Amino acid sequence: MTSTLNTDTRLGWIGLGSMGIGMSKNLQKYLAASGAPPLSYTNRTLSRGDGLKALGGVPYETVGGVVANSDIIFTCVSNDQVLNSVIDEVLASGSSGSLKGKIFVDSTTVHPETTISVAKKLTDAHAEFVAAPVFGASAMAEAGKLIFTLAGPESATSKLSPYLVGVMAKSIIPMGEDVSKSTLLKIAGNVIVISFMEVISEAHVLAEKTGLGSQILETMLGDMFGPVVYSYSKRITSGAYAPPIDQSAGFGVDLALKDVRHALRVASENGTTLDALEAALKHMQRAKAFADSLGGRPLDSSSMYGAIRRDAGLDFFSDAIKARDASL
């Protein structure tokens, strides 16, 4: 899947959440450096894209405006409902045949049925669709180090390569033409990531309750399991599981809950269970309920740690969080 950059191709972006903003900025930087047309973009709150505009991106008030001025359109929104709403707006904005030849690339984590439905809507309108969910949190999106799982017709995926590795991605996992397979891989990956967070959280609470201490446990995790597991541990020990009230989480608990429910539904539909994920769901739900009882505050998916702490008779907020918040 390789192609050279066509500097006449116009790109568009819909959705500037915690992932989309970093991805779109990297894409606009690449387009500007390549002499290609600037990235068109829109978002429910358009001011969210001010940083992208400063890099040369061109804002549009509507989805239809972006689509009309783009050949390849990326979507990266929060959930299935929002994605369906965006695609319906896309279809409503055009006249018969106006989408012919356009490529839509979706990086939203959704249920496979949603991916199939969206693909059909767009292909029926003579557009092409590529499912492109990504692995990596917002920091990796900012750094251009995401892993893309790509599925769709080769005629479309072949045109995307100039914009992925070295721009938004560190690598691509090709998944063939069945768009649901890409979404399924993303769901399977989330099972692993969220289950890791559950197990690591439990181990840290055990270390604190027994007097072993989190620092030595974290050293062992890094030495034995490598930088990925170590980074998950750091989300706990740094206090990132409950960011300051005025900051966003790296992987918000609401998005994680949505992803967990998708995974559990897929498992049930296929006659299997995900017990570790069930435990993670329960703990994330408790964490969110606790934060809501305090008037609400941003929580990361790793906030399950706070709920497990409370179950063990500890405060939801670690000493690291208390010290950090006291200094703000």
Side-chain angles (χ1 to χ4, degrees):
M1 188 195 74
T2 58
S3 68
T4 57
L5 176 68
N6 182 348
T7 55
D8 293 327
T9 301
R10 303 166 302 163
L11 271 64
W13 196 280
I14 301 169
L16 300 174
S18 60
M19 296 294 290
I21 189 64
M23 295 165 72
S24 60
K25 283 181 176 179
N26 285 325
L27 185 54
Q28 169 55 28
K29 289 175 186 176
Y30 172 73
L31 295 175
S34 304
L39 183 68
S40 301
Y41 70 88
T42 193
N43 191 58
R44 183 167 44 192
T45 303
L46 200 56
S47 60
R48 173 78 176 164
D50 287 350
L52 181 56
K53 183 178 179 180
L55 294 171
V58 179
Y60 285 86
E61 293 285 345
T62 66
V63 165
V66 170
V67 173
N69 290 279
S70 305
D71 305 304
I72 300 174
I73 302 98
F74 289 83
T75 52
C76 185
V77 296
S78 56
N79 56 45
D80 304 56
Q81 181 179 359
V82 175
L83 178 61
N84 276 314
S85 176
V86 166
I87 298 306
D88 288 344
E89 191 173 347
V90 167
L91 297 173
S93 70
S95 57
S96 178
S98 64
L99 299 183
K100 186 175 182 180
K102 294 184 186 290
I103 300 172
F104 289 81
V105 186
D106 181 50
S107 292
T108 312
T109 301
V110 295
H111 191 280
E113 289 178 359
T114 301
T115 301
I116 292 170
S117 173
V118 165
K120 185 177 188 307
K121 288 179 180 179
L122 290 169
T123 54
D124 284 351
H126 309 292
E128 291 186 291
F129 176 78
V130 175
V134 298
F135 290 108
S138 57
M140 292 178 70
E142 288 281 352
K145 299 296 184 182
L146 296 169
I147 301 170
F148 274 70
T149 62
L150 220 58
E154 196 276 336
S155 58
T157 57
S158 64
K159 295 175 183 176
L160 300 179
S161 58
Y163 311 109
L164 299 181
V165 175
V167 180
M168 296 185 286
K170 69 175 181 180
S171 63
I172 297 169
I173 303 175
M175 297 298 296
E177 297 206 354
D178 183 347
V179 293
S180 69
K181 297 300 184 186
S182 186
T183 313
L184 281 170
L185 181 62
K186 171 61 175 173
I187 287 173
N190 281 348
V191 170
I192 296 169
V193 170
I194 296 172
S195 297
F196 273 165
M197 290 307 313
E198 170 70 18
V199 172
I200 294 168
S201 295
E202 292 179 11
H204 270 295
V205 171
L206 176 66
E208 185 160 355
K209 291 290 288 188
T210 60
L212 175 64
S214 286
Q215 184 174 356
I216 192 64
L217 175 66
E218 189 161 83
T219 298
M220 182 277 290
L221 289 172
D223 288 350
M224 187 166 184
F225 299 108
V228 172
V229 170
Y230 182 77
S231 72
Y232 293 160
S233 178
K234 273 294 182 187
R235 285 162 69 181
I236 291 169
T237 59
S238 69
Y241 72 91
I245 293 175
D246 61 346
Q247 294 184 19
S248 299
F251 179 28
V253 70
D254 287 328
L255 292 177
L257 286 167
K258 177 259 298 181
D259 291 352
V260 166
R261 292 185 181 108
H262 281 331
L264 292 173
R265 178 182 162 194
V266 169
S268 177
E269 290 166 345
N270 289 276
T272 189
T273 59
L274 299 168
D275 294 343
L277 212 60
E278 290 277 10
L281 174 64
K282 176 183 68 177
H283 289 134
M284 285 192 291
Q285 287 173 327
R286 286 187 194 168
K288 179 171 168 52
F290 177 71
D292 288 347
S293 74
L294 300 177
R297 70 175 290 163
L299 290 179
D300 187 71
S301 59
S302 54
S303 58
M304 60 186 67
Y305 172 63
I308 298 169
R309 284 175 60 87
R310 292 192 79 207
D311 289 346
L314 301 171
D315 195 320
F316 184 93
F317 301 108
S318 65
D319 289 344
I321 289 178
K322 292 174 183 176
R324 181 201 67 204
D325 289 357
S327 67
L328 297 177

PDB file of all heavy atoms in Angstrom, residues 75 83 87 102-106 114-116 118-120 122-123 127-132 151-153 156-157 177 179:
ATOM      1  N   THR A  75     -12.698  11.382   9.543  1.00  0.00           N
ATOM      2  CA  THR A  75     -13.590  11.613  10.681  1.00  0.00           C
ATOM      3  C   THR A  75     -12.987  10.961  11.915  1.00  0.00           C
ATOM      4  O   THR A  75     -12.472   9.844  11.853  1.00  0.00           O
ATOM      5  CB  THR A  75     -14.995  11.051  10.435  1.00  0.00           C
ATOM      6  OG1 THR A  75     -14.905   9.673  10.031  1.00  0.00           O
ATOM      7  CG2 THR A  75     -15.725  11.822   9.355  1.00  0.00           C
ATOM      8  N   LEU A  83     -20.971   9.622  14.998  1.00  0.00           N
ATOM      9  CA  LEU A  83     -20.519   9.260  13.656  1.00  0.00           C
ATOM     10  C   LEU A  83     -21.698   9.119  12.708  1.00  0.00           C
ATOM     11  O   LEU A  83     -21.668   9.641  11.584  1.00  0.00           O
ATOM     12  CB  LEU A  83     -19.716   7.952  13.697  1.00  0.00           C
ATOM     13  CG  LEU A  83     -19.222   7.457  12.336  1.00  0.00           C
ATOM     14  CD1 LEU A  83     -18.296   8.477  11.678  1.00  0.00           C
ATOM     15  CD2 LEU A  83     -18.534   6.103  12.474  1.00  0.00           C
ATOM     16  N   ILE A  87     -22.340  11.346   9.290  1.00  0.00           N
ATOM     17  CA  ILE A  87     -22.516  10.751   7.960  1.00  0.00           C
ATOM     18  C   ILE A  87     -23.870  11.128   7.373  1.00  0.00           C
ATOM     19  O   ILE A  87     -23.983  11.415   6.168  1.00  0.00           O
ATOM     20  CB  ILE A  87     -22.352   9.221   8.025  1.00  0.00           C
ATOM     21  CG1 ILE A  87     -20.936   8.864   8.486  1.00  0.00           C
ATOM     22  CG2 ILE A  87     -22.643   8.595   6.670  1.00  0.00           C
ATOM     23  CD1 ILE A  87     -19.814   9.488   7.676  1.00  0.00           C
ATOM     24  N   LYS A 102     -14.979  10.615  -3.796  1.00  0.00           N
ATOM     25  CA  LYS A 102     -14.444  11.050  -2.502  1.00  0.00           C
ATOM     26  C   LYS A 102     -14.175   9.833  -1.618  1.00  0.00           C
ATOM     27  O   LYS A 102     -14.863   8.815  -1.704  1.00  0.00           O
ATOM     28  CB  LYS A 102     -15.418  12.001  -1.800  1.00  0.00           C
ATOM     29  CG  LYS A 102     -15.601  13.338  -2.528  1.00  0.00           C
ATOM     30  CD  LYS A 102     -16.489  14.285  -1.740  1.00  0.00           C
ATOM     31  CE  LYS A 102     -16.782  15.557  -2.529  1.00  0.00           C
ATOM     32  NZ  LYS A 102     -15.591  16.429  -2.666  1.00  0.00           N
ATOM     33  N   ILE A 103     -13.166   9.965  -0.769  1.00  0.00           N
ATOM     34  CA  ILE A 103     -12.783   8.892   0.157  1.00  0.00           C
ATOM     35  C   ILE A 103     -13.029   9.372   1.578  1.00  0.00           C
ATOM     36  O   ILE A 103     -12.538  10.439   1.972  1.00  0.00           O
ATOM     37  CB  ILE A 103     -11.302   8.504  -0.023  1.00  0.00           C
ATOM     38  CG1 ILE A 103     -11.039   8.012  -1.451  1.00  0.00           C
ATOM     39  CG2 ILE A 103     -10.906   7.435   1.006  1.00  0.00           C
ATOM     40  CD1 ILE A 103      -9.562   7.799  -1.747  1.00  0.00           C
ATOM     41  N   PHE A 104     -13.764   8.586   2.347  1.00  0.00           N
ATOM     42  CA  PHE A 104     -14.010   8.884   3.755  1.00  0.00           C
ATOM     43  C   PHE A 104     -13.216   7.893   4.606  1.00  0.00           C
ATOM     44  O   PHE A 104     -13.285   6.677   4.396  1.00  0.00           O
ATOM     45  CB  PHE A 104     -15.498   8.802   4.078  1.00  0.00           C
ATOM     46  CG  PHE A 104     -16.295   9.928   3.482  1.00  0.00           C
ATOM     47  CD1 PHE A 104     -16.695   9.879   2.147  1.00  0.00           C
ATOM     48  CD2 PHE A 104     -16.614  11.048   4.239  1.00  0.00           C
ATOM     49  CE1 PHE A 104     -17.414  10.925   1.583  1.00  0.00           C
ATOM     50  CE2 PHE A 104     -17.332  12.097   3.688  1.00  0.00           C
ATOM     51  CZ  PHE A 104     -17.731  12.042   2.361  1.00  0.00           C
ATOM     52  N   VAL A 105     -12.464   8.427   5.553  1.00  0.00           N
ATOM     53  CA  VAL A 105     -11.580   7.624   6.400  1.00  0.00           C
ATOM     54  C   VAL A 105     -11.997   7.853   7.853  1.00  0.00           C
ATOM     55  O   VAL A 105     -11.888   8.974   8.360  1.00  0.00           O
ATOM     56  CB  VAL A 105     -10.099   8.034   6.211  1.00  0.00           C
ATOM     57  CG1 VAL A 105      -9.191   7.088   6.984  1.00  0.00           C
ATOM     58  CG2 VAL A 105      -9.740   8.081   4.741  1.00  0.00           C
ATOM     59  N   ASP A 106     -12.470   6.794   8.505  1.00  0.00           N
ATOM     60  CA  ASP A 106     -12.980   6.974   9.868  1.00  0.00           C
ATOM     61  C   ASP A 106     -12.062   6.339  10.904  1.00  0.00           C
ATOM     62  O   ASP A 106     -11.750   5.153  10.828  1.00  0.00           O
ATOM     63  CB  ASP A 106     -14.376   6.374  10.014  1.00  0.00           C
ATOM     64  CG  ASP A 106     -14.920   6.585  11.414  1.00  0.00           C
ATOM     65  OD1 ASP A 106     -14.879   7.740  11.892  1.00  0.00           O
ATOM     66  OD2 ASP A 106     -15.347   5.601  12.040  1.00  0.00           O
ATOM     67  N   THR A 114     -21.726  -0.665  13.207  1.00  0.00           N
ATOM     68  CA  THR A 114     -21.741   0.744  12.815  1.00  0.00           C
ATOM     69  C   THR A 114     -20.816   0.974  11.636  1.00  0.00           C
ATOM     70  O   THR A 114     -21.159   1.700  10.692  1.00  0.00           O
ATOM     71  CB  THR A 114     -21.334   1.632  13.995  1.00  0.00           C
ATOM     72  OG1 THR A 114     -22.235   1.421  15.083  1.00  0.00           O
ATOM     73  CG2 THR A 114     -21.348   3.104  13.622  1.00  0.00           C
ATOM     74  N   THR A 115     -19.647   0.374  11.680  1.00  0.00           N
ATOM     75  CA  THR A 115     -18.696   0.503  10.571  1.00  0.00           C
ATOM     76  C   THR A 115     -19.308  -0.007   9.269  1.00  0.00           C
ATOM     77  O   THR A 115     -19.210   0.645   8.221  1.00  0.00           O
ATOM     78  CB  THR A 115     -17.405  -0.283  10.874  1.00  0.00           C
ATOM     79  OG1 THR A 115     -16.824   0.217  12.076  1.00  0.00           O
ATOM     80  CG2 THR A 115     -16.402  -0.160   9.744  1.00  0.00           C
ATOM     81  N   ILE A 116     -19.950  -1.168   9.331  1.00  0.00           N
ATOM     82  CA  ILE A 116     -20.567  -1.747   8.136  1.00  0.00           C
ATOM     83  C   ILE A 116     -21.682  -0.839   7.618  1.00  0.00           C
ATOM     84  O   ILE A 116     -21.804  -0.584   6.411  1.00  0.00           O
ATOM     85  CB  ILE A 116     -21.111  -3.150   8.455  1.00  0.00           C
ATOM     86  CG1 ILE A 116     -19.946  -4.117   8.736  1.00  0.00           C
ATOM     87  CG2 ILE A 116     -21.966  -3.672   7.305  1.00  0.00           C
ATOM     88  CD1 ILE A 116     -20.382  -5.450   9.301  1.00  0.00           C
ATOM     89  N   VAL A 118     -22.125   2.470   8.113  1.00  0.00           N
ATOM     90  CA  VAL A 118     -21.577   3.714   7.568  1.00  0.00           C
ATOM     91  C   VAL A 118     -20.955   3.465   6.195  1.00  0.00           C
ATOM     92  O   VAL A 118     -21.144   4.258   5.252  1.00  0.00           O
ATOM     93  CB  VAL A 118     -20.545   4.312   8.545  1.00  0.00           C
ATOM     94  CG1 VAL A 118     -19.713   5.383   7.869  1.00  0.00           C
ATOM     95  CG2 VAL A 118     -21.254   4.885   9.773  1.00  0.00           C
ATOM     96  N   ALA A 119     -20.231   2.366   6.063  1.00  0.00           N
ATOM     97  CA  ALA A 119     -19.611   2.034   4.780  1.00  0.00           C
ATOM     98  C   ALA A 119     -20.667   1.876   3.687  1.00  0.00           C
ATOM     99  O   ALA A 119     -20.498   2.367   2.560  1.00  0.00           O
ATOM    100  CB  ALA A 119     -18.786   0.762   4.907  1.00  0.00           C
ATOM    101  N   LYS A 120     -21.776   1.225   4.020  1.00  0.00           N
ATOM    102  CA  LYS A 120     -22.836   1.019   3.026  1.00  0.00           C
ATOM    103  C   LYS A 120     -23.480   2.345   2.616  1.00  0.00           C
ATOM    104  O   LYS A 120     -23.743   2.583   1.425  1.00  0.00           O
ATOM    105  CB  LYS A 120     -23.902   0.073   3.565  1.00  0.00           C
ATOM    106  CG  LYS A 120     -24.977  -0.284   2.533  1.00  0.00           C
ATOM    107  CD  LYS A 120     -25.977  -1.280   3.070  1.00  0.00           C
ATOM    108  CE  LYS A 120     -26.917  -1.750   1.948  1.00  0.00           C
ATOM    109  NZ  LYS A 120     -27.568  -0.649   1.217  1.00  0.00           N
ATOM    110  N   LEU A 122     -22.171   5.267   2.542  1.00  0.00           N
ATOM    111  CA  LEU A 122     -21.277   6.057   1.701  1.00  0.00           C
ATOM    112  C   LEU A 122     -21.048   5.419   0.341  1.00  0.00           C
ATOM    113  O   LEU A 122     -21.008   6.109  -0.683  1.00  0.00           O
ATOM    114  CB  LEU A 122     -19.951   6.280   2.425  1.00  0.00           C
ATOM    115  CG  LEU A 122     -20.041   7.234   3.628  1.00  0.00           C
ATOM    116  CD1 LEU A 122     -18.765   7.196   4.441  1.00  0.00           C
ATOM    117  CD2 LEU A 122     -20.330   8.664   3.168  1.00  0.00           C
ATOM    118  N   THR A 123     -20.898   4.110   0.315  1.00  0.00           N
ATOM    119  CA  THR A 123     -20.691   3.452  -0.979  1.00  0.00           C
ATOM    120  C   THR A 123     -21.958   3.522  -1.836  1.00  0.00           C
ATOM    121  O   THR A 123     -21.870   3.635  -3.065  1.00  0.00           O
ATOM    122  CB  THR A 123     -20.245   1.992  -0.810  1.00  0.00           C
ATOM    123  OG1 THR A 123     -21.175   1.296   0.028  1.00  0.00           O
ATOM    124  CG2 THR A 123     -18.861   1.923  -0.185  1.00  0.00           C
ATOM    125  N   ALA A 127     -19.318   7.052  -2.894  1.00  0.00           N
ATOM    126  CA  ALA A 127     -18.038   7.388  -2.268  1.00  0.00           C
ATOM    127  C   ALA A 127     -17.328   6.095  -1.876  1.00  0.00           C
ATOM    128  O   ALA A 127     -17.886   4.996  -1.995  1.00  0.00           O
ATOM    129  CB  ALA A 127     -18.265   8.272  -1.047  1.00  0.00           C
ATOM    130  N   GLU A 128     -16.083   6.213  -1.428  1.00  0.00           N
ATOM    131  CA  GLU A 128     -15.352   5.062  -0.890  1.00  0.00           C
ATOM    132  C   GLU A 128     -15.145   5.264   0.599  1.00  0.00           C
ATOM    133  O   GLU A 128     -15.038   6.406   1.079  1.00  0.00           O
ATOM    134  CB  GLU A 128     -14.005   4.904  -1.600  1.00  0.00           C
ATOM    135  CG  GLU A 128     -14.137   4.482  -3.054  1.00  0.00           C
ATOM    136  CD  GLU A 128     -12.796   4.200  -3.698  1.00  0.00           C
ATOM    137  OE1 GLU A 128     -12.029   5.158  -3.897  1.00  0.00           O
ATOM    138  OE2 GLU A 128     -12.510   3.024  -3.999  1.00  0.00           O
ATOM    139  N   PHE A 129     -15.066   4.152   1.337  1.00  0.00           N
ATOM    140  CA  PHE A 129     -14.938   4.223   2.790  1.00  0.00           C
ATOM    141  C   PHE A 129     -13.784   3.350   3.263  1.00  0.00           C
ATOM    142  O   PHE A 129     -13.627   2.207   2.817  1.00  0.00           O
ATOM    143  CB  PHE A 129     -16.227   3.760   3.475  1.00  0.00           C
ATOM    144  CG  PHE A 129     -16.130   3.715   4.969  1.00  0.00           C
ATOM    145  CD1 PHE A 129     -16.225   4.876   5.726  1.00  0.00           C
ATOM    146  CD2 PHE A 129     -15.922   2.507   5.630  1.00  0.00           C
ATOM    147  CE1 PHE A 129     -16.131   4.841   7.109  1.00  0.00           C
ATOM    148  CE2 PHE A 129     -15.816   2.458   7.012  1.00  0.00           C
ATOM    149  CZ  PHE A 129     -15.924   3.626   7.751  1.00  0.00           C
ATOM    150  N   VAL A 130     -13.002   3.901   4.184  1.00  0.00           N
ATOM    151  CA  VAL A 130     -11.900   3.171   4.810  1.00  0.00           C
ATOM    152  C   VAL A 130     -12.080   3.244   6.326  1.00  0.00           C
ATOM    153  O   VAL A 130     -12.245   4.335   6.886  1.00  0.00           O
ATOM    154  CB  VAL A 130     -10.533   3.766   4.414  1.00  0.00           C
ATOM    155  CG1 VAL A 130      -9.408   3.062   5.174  1.00  0.00           C
ATOM    156  CG2 VAL A 130     -10.322   3.661   2.914  1.00  0.00           C
ATOM    157  N   ALA A 131     -12.084   2.096   6.982  1.00  0.00           N
ATOM    158  CA  ALA A 131     -12.088   2.054   8.443  1.00  0.00           C
ATOM    159  C   ALA A 131     -10.652   2.145   8.914  1.00  0.00           C
ATOM    160  O   ALA A 131      -9.796   1.373   8.480  1.00  0.00           O
ATOM    161  CB  ALA A 131     -12.734   0.766   8.950  1.00  0.00           C
ATOM    162  N   ALA A 132     -10.381   3.115   9.810  1.00  0.00           N
ATOM    163  CA  ALA A 132      -8.998   3.358  10.230  1.00  0.00           C
ATOM    164  C   ALA A 132      -8.904   3.706  11.708  1.00  0.00           C
ATOM    165  O   ALA A 132      -8.337   4.741  12.078  1.00  0.00           O
ATOM    166  CB  ALA A 132      -8.393   4.467   9.393  1.00  0.00           C
ATOM    167  N   ALA A 151      -8.680  -0.805   6.850  1.00  0.00           N
ATOM    168  CA  ALA A 151      -9.450  -1.756   6.052  1.00  0.00           C
ATOM    169  C   ALA A 151     -10.350  -1.005   5.085  1.00  0.00           C
ATOM    170  O   ALA A 151     -10.980  -0.012   5.452  1.00  0.00           O
ATOM    171  CB  ALA A 151     -10.291  -2.654   6.960  1.00  0.00           C
ATOM    172  N   GLY A 152     -10.398  -1.498   3.862  1.00  0.00           N
ATOM    173  CA  GLY A 152     -11.232  -0.883   2.836  1.00  0.00           C
ATOM    174  C   GLY A 152     -10.706  -1.248   1.462  1.00  0.00           C
ATOM    175  O   GLY A 152      -9.729  -1.991   1.330  1.00  0.00           O
ATOM    176  N   PRO A 153     -11.347  -0.738   0.430  1.00  0.00           N
ATOM    177  CA  PRO A 153     -10.905  -1.071  -0.936  1.00  0.00           C
ATOM    178  C   PRO A 153      -9.495  -0.573  -1.209  1.00  0.00           C
ATOM    179  O   PRO A 153      -9.122   0.531  -0.805  1.00  0.00           O
ATOM    180  CB  PRO A 153     -11.935  -0.346  -1.813  1.00  0.00           C
ATOM    181  CG  PRO A 153     -12.506   0.730  -0.950  1.00  0.00           C
ATOM    182  CD  PRO A 153     -12.491   0.189   0.439  1.00  0.00           C
ATOM    183  N   ALA A 156      -8.783   2.846  -2.465  1.00  0.00           N
ATOM    184  CA  ALA A 156      -8.814   3.964  -1.515  1.00  0.00           C
ATOM    185  C   ALA A 156      -7.620   3.927  -0.570  1.00  0.00           C
ATOM    186  O   ALA A 156      -6.950   4.942  -0.370  1.00  0.00           O
ATOM    187  CB  ALA A 156     -10.109   3.934  -0.711  1.00  0.00           C
ATOM    188  N   THR A 157      -7.333   2.758   0.002  1.00  0.00           N
ATOM    189  CA  THR A 157      -6.243   2.681   0.987  1.00  0.00           C
ATOM    190  C   THR A 157      -4.898   3.033   0.360  1.00  0.00           C
ATOM    191  O   THR A 157      -4.028   3.599   1.021  1.00  0.00           O
ATOM    192  CB  THR A 157      -6.169   1.286   1.623  1.00  0.00           C
ATOM    193  OG1 THR A 157      -5.990   0.287   0.593  1.00  0.00           O
ATOM    194  CG2 THR A 157      -7.443   0.969   2.404  1.00  0.00           C
ATOM    195  N   GLU A 177     -10.037  -5.803   2.883  1.00  0.00           N
ATOM    196  CA  GLU A 177     -11.136  -4.969   2.398  1.00  0.00           C
ATOM    197  C   GLU A 177     -12.377  -5.018   3.281  1.00  0.00           C
ATOM    198  O   GLU A 177     -13.270  -4.166   3.142  1.00  0.00           O
ATOM    199  CB  GLU A 177     -11.489  -5.362   0.956  1.00  0.00           C
ATOM    200  CG  GLU A 177     -10.339  -5.131  -0.019  1.00  0.00           C
ATOM    201  CD  GLU A 177     -10.815  -4.896  -1.442  1.00  0.00           C
ATOM    202  OE1 GLU A 177     -12.030  -5.019  -1.697  1.00  0.00           O
ATOM    203  OE2 GLU A 177      -9.961  -4.591  -2.294  1.00  0.00           O
ATOM    204  N   VAL A 179     -14.252  -3.972   6.124  1.00  0.00           N
ATOM    205  CA  VAL A 179     -14.054  -2.867   7.063  1.00  0.00           C
ATOM    206  C   VAL A 179     -14.342  -3.260   8.506  1.00  0.00           C
ATOM    207  O   VAL A 179     -13.792  -2.672   9.441  1.00  0.00           O
ATOM    208  CB  VAL A 179     -14.912  -1.647   6.658  1.00  0.00           C
ATOM    209  CG1 VAL A 179     -14.422  -1.065   5.334  1.00  0.00           C
ATOM    210  CG2 VAL A 179     -16.396  -1.991   6.590  1.00  0.00           C
TER     211      VAL A 179
END
